[in-house]
Each structure stands twice: as structure tokens, then as C-alpha cells.
RNA sequence: GGGCGUUUAGCUCAGUUGGUUAGAGCGCAGCCUUCACACGGCUGAGGUCGGAGGUUCGAGUCCUCUAGCGCCCACCA
């Protein structure tokens, strides 16, 4: 047999023989340790690209709780990795940890009682106190980052342990962390190249801003949430022309002081006469123009809108396209800023009055300000009628608790908008599983409305490797960044010094300052193929694994991770980063609700693994179809456990037929399989192999396990029962020899078919009678079964199993034991089926306890069972 | 507003290009414990496939319309 040829295993992996009482307990610990020491899953980096199957493993966020959803989707990937490995590929299956970003920051702040002040210098002697102090200690960015690393190391250990228990066939020598040196170097190198090729630019512009995290966020991190609000109808008196006041409707009256214009649709007859005239804001008496713009919707509200800087993204469009001035009143903390009414930019015909009104809201939060504003408007008579309550979508940062504001800030952007058509092409080129997931990518790319903002005003992340010269006036010149050279990466500009400067020149006139921001977490995660493949650090490795074969991930991060990875690969290499994307569904709680921390319905995997065993949990996961949301179902895990136990027992039973008096197991060759029933079984098994293989090739692991499992149960129920007597016969005789050879072939084949799903139990059984690891054995092929299967009548097993089933039914109906004898069994059927039956007559008689079989050729199939009742 | 998915036995789901009496597991009921498996085995009762119409010799499986559920996208003052 060639199955073991690829298994380079140490000498201690010889067959162990059949244990007396096989069980599942302890398999995870013992086999994961042996796989580790034997290097069973080591990537063969001498393999040429065409022999490699490379996987861009999703790096899980390690600062979060372990989640059953991880187990679910990683099991899918692992099954596919194991399939390709058994098919002879050198599988590149690395593991990454996403320890970058806000979740880690928050945890570190609370855990150690620190806060990051990027203005401070690095303190090499800093040690966090044992008990976190009430007032957070300010630490430098490098110190803060060090604490983040310290904590994430612990989380990563817990994850690695979970993955080993689950049996992931990862090569642990290829691990990375998104804040690790390799990832930082790749991120910074890529950034410098984007800067050099003009794919990134820096701009001060209105930016979506989270007032709690105090950072900009990108379009990809937005989500709409329905929130209660109200339309407030407000009258703006006309300024230079007589006529009735203009009434607008707004949900954000608190932004009145930031109003810079009113805008209506150019074709709106109601407002056309007002265009290019002026009105005055209530309370503040600021003169603002009435303008025309096509984005104004005549159907909405009163058909004329108040433009503020900035209430929403439409305001930004109007502000830009109508060249409006900026009146900023919302600070980065979400509170109203002080304003000097009557000075330039804050002109008012009644500045004292304006200031008196505004003084009552300055410093308040947006919400508080709105309450007071509405009172003031009502008192002044500008509020028309009562506010009309509505529910409307409001933009939130996906991790945030309060609505986003729009503030002007300096940010780095990747030019994604000009790439849109190319990105759509790449989306077409990528093979999606399931295919309909491509729609999500397409609608996202088509809906892009801004370049990708990659800078965040946070600390724990990859810093931008640039500095800015400080002029004689002490101001940094952001227009003239000083990029680092690639040979110095990774570096932190808040502590490292640009070439040609001295540390003393930091922040002084004529000196320099470092860029204070860090990269968006996706700016690093978008490089996972480059990071895992050691782009530029190890060109030989990179050339063997990139572009990768598979990106497995879940559907909610198509617009972030999948999209951004394609962007980076397109810019850097002009190609897709991988050829296939397998999108997994979500795990829902047992009541089919989405799991979330706030609902408290998150299921943790460890107790499930301990209770049911890894193979059982994997069985549940493997039955979740690609892309389909699947509920946690302990019932399915119990079924999986039963299956694993059945594999142990059926194997023990079959192998017992192959053992001699000393317990040594002889494995007869397939050429001995000559009996029609055995050949029939082989033919059906060949069909299962073909189906499972085709399913795996189409990334449909679930179909592969389903077909294998169905065959296995009928193999146990029918075939094993039918041959167990014959297999005990004299091995020198053709009948027993055929049965034994067929059992060996069937067992070997089925163990290999199950191996990607049930790695522990299949390896355990394999070790009883085979050399090497089942996971390094060759995936079964239909041609292996050709000898016995070709020309076989596949009806034999089918007809015999049917008749045996009828016999069982008769016994059950008569409330007899399955061991009860059958005096006469009469089978009426077509000549063809009777022939098939007769070819296995002795096995049928043995399995059914049948004394006499009478066959009748007829048109109406019937089975008549006369039980041999013994008193 | 645009788009995608889904709706099959009490529950969770399969049903691949349309083809004979619609499948599985769980749950339920009954039977069977020396001789692989009680962390078991066997057997059985349960659906006419969300609704309406259409194409076809024939539709759960294709087309049209429609309803519920879930999700994605969108410049909703």
C-alpha cells in the first residue's frame, strides 16, 4: 500500500495493536503532543509553489473572550487544510494573533491603571504598580505598547492551547502577531512604498470622529443604528429682502450656531426666488445665504435644509461643493466649543445677544445642548409648533456608544476611489464560496464614497514611520514629511530620531516631531499574506506561498479585511492576494440569536470540548454548510461523539478479524477481494470517495462528511453484520480472505475520509495497525478501489441489505431478539435482483440466522419471513 | 430605496444539473443486553416541500407574482 509513503514519522510510530477497551478520553492531549513532536503538520518549505497550498488564516482578536464561533470557522479551514495535505500538497497553514488596536488598549488601561501620553519619552525602567492606581499613570507610547504586549502574550497562550485541543493542523513555527516586529516592519514598509508611489496622501478634512475614543474612523467601520429623534421646525427671518421667514426642519437644532447656509433643490419653485438671498439664524443673528443644490430633497421636511459644519456627510458635500465657510462648534470630546460672536467668521448683527444665548450651551454635550437650544428657540418664537418625534438611522462607530460627529482633522488616506473599477474586476476574478458572497463585496466597492482613512489618533498600533520638520516658528510642517528609510524598520517616531537629527532637536524650532498617530488596525491586517509569508524578509518563502490559495473568513468583515487585503495586494503586486475566499457563517446561540457580550449569550468552547471531546465538537462544526449561520447544538455534538465511539468500536471489530492468535494484524492486499458482496461494497465506497473528493474540491466540506458518515453507518449496520461470520473463517480460503481484505481496504479508506473531520479518533485507530500518521497518508482515490470495484454489481449489497432489513423488521414486529432464528425466508423479486441476492446467500443466512431461503422470480417484489419460534 | 440569502417532518437541516412511493439526525414510541459498541443496536409513527399562478409527459428542484424571517449596501436634513 502506498498510503504511508508520505508519512515521515519516527520509529515509535509503529502499530500498537488493538487495545482491549478503546476510548476517546485523553486523545486530544496525547495526539496533539505527538503531532507537535513529530512535526506532523510542518510546512515543507522546499516545495515549489505549484505543490504548495497556502492559507491566509484569520488572526483572531486575542484580547477578547474565546468564542465558539472561532471553533466553528477554524474547524472548516482545518478540514480543508487536512484534505489538501493528504492530497500531497505542502500546506502552509500559519497562525496569527490580532493583538493590535482598541480592544487591547482598553484592557491594558484598566488592568495596569495607566494611560498613554505619546508626548512622553520612553522610560526603560518603568514597571507598572502591583495594584492599579485610581489616577492612571501617564506612560510613553513605547511603554504602553510594551504593557499591551505583556498582556496579549497571556491571551495568545490560551488561544494556542484551545487550538491544539481542537486539533488544528497549524504549523506553529509560522506564527505572527499584528503588533509583532514582522507585522510592524511589513506595515511600515508598505506605507513608505505607498507614500513613494503617491498611493497615500495626507489631508486636513472633515472626518468621521468618535468622541469617546477620540479618534477618526473610516467608512468601513461605520454602522447605522436607528435612534429616536425629532424634526424641529425653525423659522429663519429674511435678511436683506422683505418676506415671510423661511422655515426649515432639522433633527439637530443644537448645530444652529454652526449653520452656514440653507439649501433647496434648484427646481423647487417654492424656494427658487430665495436663491442667493440671505436669511438670519435665530438666536445668533448670523447672516447665511440660501443656495441651490441637487442633493436637497423637496420631499423631505419643508424641502429646504440647514447646512451646518458639520451635522452629517451631506453637509460635507454641500460645504465642499458650494464653497461654504466653516463654523466649528463641536469639539473632539463632543462638547460645544467657545465661540467669539462678532469676530471674523462669527459675524452677527446682534453679537451680544448671540453670545448670551450661546453662553448657555457652551461646554455642554450635544444632547444637553439640544435640550437647552430647543427651550431658547421656543422662548424666542423661532420654533414653529412642537417637535415631531421620528426614528431615524444615525451613524455610529461599530464599537462606539455615541453617535459619530464630523470634525476637521489631519489624516492619512489611501487612494481607493480611483481603484474602484480595478477592485470590482478583482472581485469577479476571485472564487467565492459560497458564490453569492461576491455580492457583498461588489455592493461595498460600488458604494465607496471616500478614500480609506488609515490613521487613528490612538496608541497601540503601528506608528507611521515619518517625522515632520519644525520651523523657526515652532510649527510642524506637515506638508514636508521626513520618511524613514526601509532599513531602519520597524521604528517608532515618538522615540526614534530621523536620520541627520539628534534627540535634542525633538519638538524645538529647527528640529523635528514624530507623526503622533498609529495606523488603523486594518492597515496592518490587510497585509496578513505578506506578514505570514515574510514578504521581503524571506523572499524565498514568500515566493512559495504568495499569492495564497485560500482566504477563509466570516462574512461581516468582507468590507474591511477582505476588501483592504485586495486593495493592498493590488497596489503592491497588481494581483489578487489569494485565488479562493471561503466565507463562513456565524454561530448563533441555541435559540438562533446572534451572540453578543451585552446579551450575555456568548458560548465559550472549552467546556464543550471537555464534555463532548474535540472530534465531537468538530463534527458539529463540519456540518455547518459554507456561509450558513449555524446554531450551537449540543445534540449534534453528542451525535459526533457517538460517531467517534462507533469508529473506535467498528474498527476494533473489523481489525479483530485480521489479527492472528498473537494479536498481530495481517493486512491482506485488495487482490484477494473476489466475493461479489465484498466487491459490491467496494464499488459503493468508490462512489463515496469520488463524491467526497469532488465536494472538498468545491470547498463543500459539509457534503464530504455527510456522504462519508452515511456510508459508514450502513457499513456498520449491514456490511459488518453480513461478513462477520465469513471473516472468521480459514484465511487461506477465498471467501474469508476476500472478507478480510475488504475489511482492511474499507477501514483504511474510511479512516482517511474521516481524518479531516475527526483527526483524533482516526489517528488513534490508524496507530493500532498502520505505520505513520493518517494525516500524512494519501487521500483515498477511486482508483485505489478499482481492482475490486470495477465490474462489480453494486446491487448486491443493496439487495441483501434490503432483505436483511425486512428480516429485522419481522423480528422486531414479533418482539423477538435479533438473534432469533428464521425457519423460512421467501423472497420474490426480479431475476436480476434474485441473482444478486443469491451471490451472497451464505452471508445473508449467517447474518439473519436464516435456515432456508426460497427465492421466487416475480413482478411484485415481496419478502416473506417465517420465524422459527422456539418455546 | 437597491441587493442577497432563507422558508422542506415537533426541532435542526440534506435534497448537486427537474424524473418512479420527499431524506437524515435529534426528539418521540416500541423492541433487543453473553459473543465490537447501553457513551449501544434494531424497528416504527410523523412533512406534499411559506402562499398563488405558470412552463413541462413530469417540479421541493425552472419562471412570474406574493408573504414572513435574516443579512448586506445606500448622500434618510
Amino acid at each position: 500500500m502506498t498510503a504511508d509513503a508520505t508519512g515521515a514519522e519516527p520509529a515509535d510510530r509503529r502499530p500498537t495493536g488493538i487495545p482491549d477497551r478503546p476510548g476517546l478520553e485523553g486523545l486530544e492531549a496525547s495526539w496533539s503532543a505527538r503531532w507537535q513532536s513529530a512535526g506532523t503538520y510542518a510546512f515543507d518549505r522546499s516545495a515549489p509553489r505549484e505543490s504548495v497550498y497556502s492559507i491566509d488564516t484569520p488572526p483572531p482578536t486575542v484580547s477578547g473572550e474565546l468564542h465558539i464561533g472561532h471553533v466553528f470557522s477554524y474547524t472548516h479551514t482545518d478540514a480543508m487544510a487536512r484534505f489538501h495535505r493528504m492530497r500531497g500538497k505542502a500546506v502552509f497553514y500559519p497562525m496569527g494573533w490580532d493583538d493590535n488596536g482598541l480592544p487591547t488598549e482598553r484592557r491594558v488601561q484598566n488592568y495596569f491603571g495607566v494611560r498613554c501620553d505619546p508626548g512622553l519619552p520612553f522610560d526603560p525602567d518603568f514597571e507598572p504598580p502591583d495594584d492599579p492606581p485610581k489616577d492612571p499613570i501617564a506612560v510613553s507610547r513605547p511603554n504602553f505598547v510594551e504593557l499591551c504586549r505583556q498582556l496579549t502574550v497571556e491571551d495568545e497562550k490560551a488561544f494556542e492551547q484551545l487550538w491544539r485541543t481542537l486539533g488544528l493542523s497549524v504549523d506553529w513555527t509560522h506564527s505572527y502577531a499584528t503588533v509583532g516586529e514582522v507585522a510592524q516592519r511589513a506595515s511600515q514598509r508598505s506605507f513608505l512604498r505607498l507614500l513613494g508611489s503617491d498611493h497615500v496622501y495626507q489631508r486636513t478634512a472633515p472626518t468621521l470622529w468618535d468622541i469617546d475614543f477620540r479618534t477618526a474612523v473610516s467608512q468601513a467601520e461605520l454602522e447605522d443604528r436607528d435612534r429616536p429623534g425629532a424634526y424641529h421646525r425653525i423659522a429663519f427671518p429674511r435678511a436683506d429682502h422683505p418676506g415671510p421667514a423661511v422655515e426649515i426642519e432639522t433633527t439637530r437644532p443644537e448645530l444652529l450656531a454652526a449653520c452656514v447656509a440653507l439649501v433647496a433643490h434648484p427646481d423647487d419653485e417654492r424656494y427658487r426666488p430665495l436663491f442667493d438671498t440671505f436669511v438670519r439664524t435665530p438666536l445668533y443673528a448670523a447672516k447665511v445665504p440660501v443656495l441651490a443644490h441637487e442633493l436637497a430633497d423637496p420631499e423631505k421636511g419643508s424641502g429646504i435644509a440647514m447646512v451646518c459644519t458639520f451635522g452629517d456627510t451631506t453637509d460635507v458635500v454641500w460645504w465642499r461643493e458650494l464653497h461654504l465657510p466653516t463654523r466649528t462648534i463641536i469639539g473632539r470630546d463632543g462638547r460645544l466649543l467657545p465661540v467669539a460672536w462678532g469676530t471674523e467668521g462669527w459675524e452677527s448683527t446682534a453679537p451680544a445677544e448671540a453670545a448670551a444665548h450661546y453662553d448657555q450651551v457652551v461646554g455642554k454635550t450635544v444632547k444637553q445642548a439640544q435640550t437647552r437650544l430647543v427651550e431658547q428657540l421656543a422662548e424666542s418664537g423661532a420654533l414653529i409648533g412642537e417637535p415631531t418625534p421620528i426614528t431615524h438611522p444615525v451613524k455610529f462607530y461599530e464599537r462606539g456608544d455615541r453617535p459619530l460627529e464630523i470634525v476637521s482633522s489631519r489624516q492619512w488616506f489611501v487612494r481607493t476611489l480611483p481603484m474602484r473599477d480595478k477592485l470590482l474586476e478583482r472581485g469577479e476574478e476571485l472564487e467565492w464560496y459560497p458564490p453569492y458572497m461576491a455580492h457583498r463585496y461588489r455592493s461595498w466597492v460600488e458604494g465607496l464614497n471616500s478614500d480609506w482613512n488609515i490613521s487613528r489618533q490612538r496608541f497601540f498600533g503601528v506608528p507611521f514611520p515619518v517625522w515632520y520638520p519644525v520651523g523657526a516658528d515652532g510649527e510642524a510642517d506637515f506638508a514636508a514629511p521626513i520618511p524613514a528609510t526601509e532599513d531602519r524598520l520597524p521604528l517608532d517616531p515618538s522615540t526614534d530620531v530621523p536620520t541627520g537629527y539628534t534627540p535634542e532637536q525633538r519638538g524645538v524650532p529647527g528640529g523635528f516631531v514624530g507623526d503622533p498617530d498609529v495606523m488603523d488596525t486594518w492597515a496592518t491586517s490587510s497585509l496578513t499574506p505578506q506578514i505570514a509569508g515574510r514578504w521581503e524578509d524571506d523572499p524565498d518563502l514568500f515566493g512559495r506561498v504568495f499569492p495564497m490559495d485560500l482566504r477563509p473568513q466570516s462574512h461581516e468583515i468582507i468590507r474591511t479585511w477582505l476588501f483592504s487585503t485586495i486593495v493592498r495586494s493590488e497596489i503592491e503586486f497588481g494581483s489578487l492576494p489569494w485565488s479562493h475566499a471561503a466565507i463562513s457563517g456565524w454561530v448563533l446561540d441555541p435559540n438562533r440569536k446572534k451572540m453578543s457580550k451585552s446579551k450575555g449569550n456568548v458560548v465559550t468552547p472549552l467546556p464543550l470540548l471537555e464534555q463532548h471531546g474535540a472530534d465531537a465538537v468538530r463534527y458539529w462544526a463540519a456540518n455547518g454548510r459554507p456561509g450558513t449561520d449555524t446554531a450551537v447544538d449540543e445534540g449534534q455534538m453528542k451525535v459526533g461523539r457517538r460517531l467517534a465511539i462507533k469508529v473506535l468500536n467498528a474498527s476494533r471489530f473489523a481489525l479483530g478479524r485480521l489479527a492472528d492468535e498473537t494479536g498481530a494484524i495481517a493486512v491482506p492486499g485488495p487482490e484477494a477481494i473476489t466475493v461479489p458482496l465484498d466487491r459490491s461494497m467496494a464499488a459503493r465506497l468508490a462512489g463515496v470517495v469520488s463524491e467526497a473528493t469532488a465536494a472538498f474540491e468545491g470547498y463543500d466540506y459539509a457534503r464530504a462528511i455527510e456522504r462519508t458518515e452515511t456510508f459508514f453507518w450502513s457499513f456498520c449496520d449491514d456490511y459488518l453484520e453480513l461478513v462477520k461470520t465469513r471473516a472468521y473463517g480459514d484465511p487461506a480460503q477465498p471467501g474469508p480472505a476476500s472478507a478480510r481484505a475488504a475489511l482492511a481496504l474499507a477501514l483504511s479508506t474510511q479512516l482517511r475520509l474521516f481524518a479531516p473531520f475527526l483527526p483524533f479518533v482516526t489517528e488513534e485507530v490508524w496507530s493500532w495497525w498502520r505505520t505513520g500518521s493518517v494525516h500524512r497518508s494519501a487521500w483515498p482515490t477511486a482508483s485505489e478501489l478499482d481492482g475490486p470495484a470495477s465490474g462489480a454489481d453494486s446491487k448486491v449489497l443493496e439487495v441483501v441489505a434490503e432483505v436483511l432489513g425486512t428480516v429485522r423488521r419481522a423480528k422486531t414486529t414479533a418482539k423477538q431478539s435479533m438473534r432469533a432464528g428464521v425457519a423460512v425466508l421467501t423472497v420474490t423479486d426480479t431475476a436480476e435482483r434474485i441473482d444478486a441476492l443469491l451471490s451472497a446467500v451464505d452471508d445473508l443466512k449467517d447474518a439473519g440466522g436464516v435456515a432456508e431461503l426460497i427465492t421466487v422470480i416475480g413482478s411484485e417484489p415481496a419478502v416473506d419471513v417465517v420465524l422459527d419460534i422456539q418455546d
Side-chain angles (χ1 to χ4, degrees):
Chain A
M1 304 279 279
T2 57
D4 300 331
T6 54
E9 289 290 327
D12 65 346
R13 292 293 305 277
R14 307 305 304 178
T16 61
I18 310 165
D20 289 336
R21 297 186 59 82
L24 299 177
E25 266 52 54
L27 293 186
E28 290 89 351
S30 65
W31 282 114
S32 59
R34 290 172 72 174
W35 291 331
Q36 169 74 1
S37 62
T40 306
Y41 306 124
F43 173 62
D44 173 10
R45 58 167 299 163
S46 70
R49 179 66 192 85
E50 61 271 21
S51 304
V52 168
Y53 188 84
S54 47
I55 300 171
D56 185 17
T57 316
T61 304
V62 293
S63 55
E65 283 281 306
L66 303 180
H67 193 287
I68 189 70
H70 291 121
V71 164
F72 181 68
S73 55
Y74 283 77
T75 295
H76 300 162
T77 306
D78 185 59
M80 295 188 281
R82 289 177 179 278
F83 167 72
H84 286 285
R85 190 179 295 113
M86 291 175 75
R87 293 257 276 183
K89 294 282 190 177
V91 174
F92 183 69
Y93 188 12
M95 182 56 65
W97 309 117
D98 190 11
D99 38 18
N100 188 351
L102 274 174
T104 303
E105 276 191 27
R106 281 213 270 196
R107 224 175 132 225
V108 165
Q109 285 166 0
N110 298 332
Y111 189 90
F112 293 111
V114 296
R115 68 178 174 83
C116 181
D117 183 345
L120 292 175
F122 177 59
D123 176 359
D125 300 323
F126 177 78
E127 289 287 340
D130 291 337
D131 294 314
K134 275 189 233 93
D135 290 327
I137 306 167
V139 298
S140 74
R141 186 158 84 187
N143 284 115
F144 188 79
V145 166
E146 181 50 40
L147 294 175
C148 289
R149 288 208 178 126
Q150 212 171 302
L151 203 53
T152 52
V153 162
E154 294 304 312
D155 294 323
E156 286 160 18
K157 278 185 196 156
F159 259 82
E160 181 170 338
Q161 189 49 49
L162 174 71
W163 289 154
R164 287 185 187 278
T165 302
L166 184 63
L168 295 191
S169 61
V170 160
D171 181 346
W172 290 97
T173 63
H174 291 277
S175 302
Y176 64 87
T178 54
V179 289
E181 187 177 315
V182 171
Q184 297 231 8
R185 184 159 50 238
S187 303
Q188 294 187 334
R189 180 193 297 123
S190 177
F191 173 81
L192 290 173
R193 294 195 184 178
L194 297 190
L195 186 60
S197 59
D198 198 35
H199 280 93
V200 294
Y201 62 93
Q202 191 174 205
R203 194 182 66 188
T204 299
T207 311
L208 291 157
W209 187 271
D210 187 285
I211 57 177
D212 291 313
F213 290 109
R214 310 235 181 138
T215 180
V217 301
S218 67
Q219 189 189 352
E221 295 168 305
L222 299 185
E223 67 182 31
D224 285 350
R225 297 183 199 163
D226 278 329
R227 284 291 178 271
Y231 278 126
H232 302 77
R233 198 171 185 95
I234 300 175
F236 282 60
R238 305 201 60 189
D240 306 322
H241 299 270
V246 181
E247 294 179 7
I248 62 99
E249 291 204 64
T250 180
T251 56
R252 302 203 59 183
E254 69 276 17
L255 293 178
L256 183 62
C259 176
V260 290
L262 302 188
V263 61
H265 194 275
D267 298 335
D268 194 328
E269 296 298 339
R270 295 170 294 178
Y271 300 109
R272 191 178 273 182
L274 274 56
F275 289 149
D276 299 318
T277 69
F278 290 82
V279 294
R280 279 188 210 290
T281 58
L283 305 181
Y284 311 118
K287 197 169 136 181
V288 297
V290 180
L291 300 171
H293 193 280
E294 289 177 349
L295 274 184
D297 182 354
E299 302 296 315
K300 207 162 288 175
S302 58
I304 185 163
M306 165 173 91
V307 182
C308 303
T309 53
F310 300 93
D312 63 25
T313 49
T314 316
D315 281 344
V316 178
V317 175
W318 283 326
W319 167 81
R320 190 171 55 229
E321 296 187 3
L322 300 173
H323 308 287
L324 297 169
T326 309
R327 290 192 185 129
T328 302
I329 64 164
I330 305 290
R332 295 186 176 197
D333 58 357
R335 291 176 182 273
L336 268 64
L337 297 167
V339 158
W341 288 101
T343 64
E344 189 187 345
W346 297 96
E347 290 82 1
S348 167
T349 52
E353 214 175 306
H357 283 301
Y358 193 80
D359 278 351
Q360 295 177 20
V361 293
V362 70
K364 288 186 189 294
T365 65
V366 166
K367 217 174 162 182
Q368 296 163 340
Q370 181 179 102
T371 305
R372 184 65 196 119
L373 239 299
V374 171
E375 291 166 2
Q376 291 179 328
L377 286 167
E379 287 160 14
S380 74
L383 184 68
I384 311 297
E386 285 295 309
T388 316
I390 55 159
T391 299
H392 63 151
V394 178
K395 292 198 185 310
F396 280 73
Y397 173 40
E398 58 189 357
R399 319 183 81 100
D401 297 322
R402 289 197 282 177
L404 290 170
E405 293 296 341
I406 296 173
V407 306
S408 219
S409 58
R410 187 181 56 81
Q411 307 287 342
W412 286 103
F413 293 87
V414 177
R415 294 186 202 278
T416 49
L417 288 180
M419 299 173 66
R420 197 160 16 189
D421 289 345
K422 195 69 199 173
L423 294 173
L424 288 171
E425 273 177 43
R426 293 298 182 206
E428 298 290 318
E429 190 184 331
L430 183 61
E431 288 195 44
W432 297 79
Y433 301 97
Y436 61 80
M437 287 295 177
H439 295 294
R440 300 201 178 192
Y441 174 81
R442 180 158 25 87
S443 61
W444 170 251
V445 176
E446 284 173 347
L448 283 179
N449 58 27
S450 66
D451 283 334
W452 174 16
N453 179 352
I454 57 166
S455 45
R456 296 292 179 272
Q457 288 64 53
R458 302 299 309 178
F459 323 112
F460 190 51
V462 179
F464 288 89
V466 294
W467 299 265
Y468 305 97
V470 174
D473 57 357
E475 294 293 315
D477 181 4
F478 293 112
I482 307 166
T485 51
E486 286 192 16
D487 59 304
R488 295 187 59 194
L489 304 180
L491 57 73
D492 183 345
S494 74
T495 51
D496 292 306
V497 173
T499 309
Y501 290 84
T502 62
E504 293 71 33
Q505 288 177 280
R506 184 181 295 276
V508 301
F512 69 92
V513 290
D515 191 301
D517 292 344
V518 295
M519 295 182 199
D520 167 24
T521 186
W522 300 112
T524 298
S525 295
S526 57
L527 299 171
T528 50
Q530 289 91 315
I531 295 165
R534 300 291 190 267
W535 171 55
E536 300 281 296
D537 290 348
D538 187 344
D540 176 75
L541 176 66
F542 192 66
R544 290 172 199 277
V545 302
F546 188 89
M548 295 202 171
D549 293 276
L550 178 64
R551 157 58 72 86
Q553 64 163 80
S554 65
H555 50 61
E556 84 271 19
I557 51 176
I558 287 175
R559 67 173 175 171
T560 48
W561 192 36
L562 190 144
F563 165 77
S564 63
T565 310
I566 291 180
V567 168
R568 303 301 286 273
S569 179
E570 179 59 34
I571 294 175
E572 193 72 46
F573 307 106
S575 76
L576 276 177
W578 359 258
S579 48
H580 304 79
I583 309 297
S584 63
W586 269 333
V587 173
L588 309 173
D589 78 2
N591 300 314
R592 298 201 63 74
K593 298 286 178 224
K594 190 180 164 184
M595 284 191 244
S596 69
K597 261 188 197 167
S598 56
K599 273 193 250 171
N601 61 347
V602 174
V603 176
T604 53
L606 271 175
L608 293 171
L609 286 166
E610 280 163 11
Q611 189 185 341
H612 303 287
D615 284 338
V617 174
R618 290 174 62 107
Y619 171 88
W620 158 75
N623 276 287
R625 253 65 193 175
T628 304
D629 294 347
T630 303
V632 174
D633 185 350
E634 290 202 58
Q636 279 300 100
M637 296 178 197
K638 286 178 182 156
V639 173
R641 184 175 177 85
R642 197 177 58 143
L643 173 64
I645 291 171
K646 190 78 173 178
V647 168
L648 286 177
N649 286 317
S651 300
R652 174 162 173 257
F653 181 57
L655 292 174
R657 266 60 187 167
L658 306 183
D660 63 19
E661 313 76 54
T662 70
I665 296 169
V667 184
E671 65 284 349
I673 303 172
T674 54
V675 171
L677 180 72
D678 304 333
R679 297 178 61 209
S680 174
M681 183 276 294
R684 297 183 64 177
L685 182 54
V688 172
V689 168
S690 299
E691 276 196 272
T693 305
F696 258 125
E697 285 171 343
Y699 290 79
D700 192 352
Y701 49 84
R703 176 187 293 271
I705 189 175
E706 191 236 316
R707 294 304 145 103
T708 303
E709 186 191 4
T710 300
F711 179 88
F712 176 68
W713 282 107
S714 70
F715 174 80
C716 292
D717 292 348
D718 300 327
Y719 183 77
L720 281 183
E721 293 297 330
L722 284 163
V723 301
K724 66 181 181 186
T725 305
R726 174 158 55 94
Y728 262 141
D730 177 0
Q733 296 300 311
S738 177
R740 292 156 56 100
L743 285 174
L745 181 62
L747 185 60
S748 161
T749 303
Q750 290 178 91
L751 288 174
R752 284 176 286 149
L753 288 173
F754 274 131
F757 306 106
L758 312 174
F760 294 104
V761 75
T762 52
E763 184 77 322
E764 172 67 13
V765 171
W766 197 260
S767 73
W768 297 344
W769 65 305
R770 305 299 294 265
T771 307
S773 170
V774 69
H775 303 299
R776 282 287 181 179
S777 67
W779 180 252
T781 61
S783 66
E784 266 181 73
L785 297 157
D786 264 357
S790 71
D793 181 357
S794 64
K795 275 198 311 300
V796 176
L797 181 56
E798 182 185 316
V799 174
V800 177
E802 248 175 65
V803 173
L804 186 59
T806 309
V807 170
R808 286 195 195 110
R809 196 172 308 124
K811 291 178 181 176
T812 298
T813 308
K815 306 198 173 187
Q816 294 293 304
S817 156
M818 285 301 129
R819 299 176 49 74
V822 175
V824 183
L825 175 63
T826 310
V827 179
T828 307
D829 213 324
T830 62
E832 200 182 18
R833 284 168 61 90
I834 292 294
D835 280 349
L837 184 67
L838 288 175
S839 73
V841 62
D842 290 339
D843 289 336
L844 175 62
K845 283 181 168 178
D846 285 336
V850 176
E852 187 186 357
L853 172 68
I854 299 171
T855 57
V856 179
I857 293 171
S859 50
E860 291 291 304
V863 179
D864 183 39
V865 184
V866 177
L867 289 174
D868 185 8
I869 310 289
Q870 293 170 349
D871 296 318

